[in-house]
Amino acid sequence: MSVERKCFYDWRDVAGEVVDIVSRNRDSVDYVTFVPDGEPTLDACMGRIIEFVKGGDWCQGGCLDQCFLVVDGGCA
């Protein structure tokens, strides 16, 4: 277990996998959800992954964290 903030995986590998899977299932994907094994805010690269995935025109973007929905810098 770690409480140190760091990149646990290469963010490009994770983002590439997500884009690949969503591209092949474009008609059935509306949202992408990341379900971590641990606390997602400890991953220093999570923001890069989310921004990369949101950059596509094929799905909605948002980030669920601590029971809040964060959209475009605000909380809902």
Side-chain angles (χ1 to χ4, degrees):
M1 181 184 292
S2 174
V3 293
E4 178 186 342
R5 241 181 140 231
K6 62 182 180 179
C7 293
F8 293 96
Y9 303 96
D10 185 326
W11 71 270
R12 291 172 288 267
D13 291 343
V14 176
E17 270 189 62
V18 171
V19 170
D20 180 51
I21 291 168
V22 171
S23 295
R24 287 187 280 126
N25 298 284
R26 195 174 187 133
D27 292 337
S28 61
V29 175
D30 295 319
Y31 289 88
V32 174
T33 304
F34 296 94
V35 181
D37 182 17
E39 175 52 52
T41 58
L42 284 177
D43 191 330
C45 293
M46 183 57 73
R48 291 180 189 168
I49 296 167
I50 292 169
E51 287 303 316
F52 186 86
V53 171
K54 281 177 60 175
D57 62 351
W58 35 263
C59 75
Q60 299 292 318
C63 179
L64 292 171
D65 183 41
Q66 304 295 334
C67 298
F68 288 102
L69 175 61
V70 181
V71 181
D72 294 328
C75 277

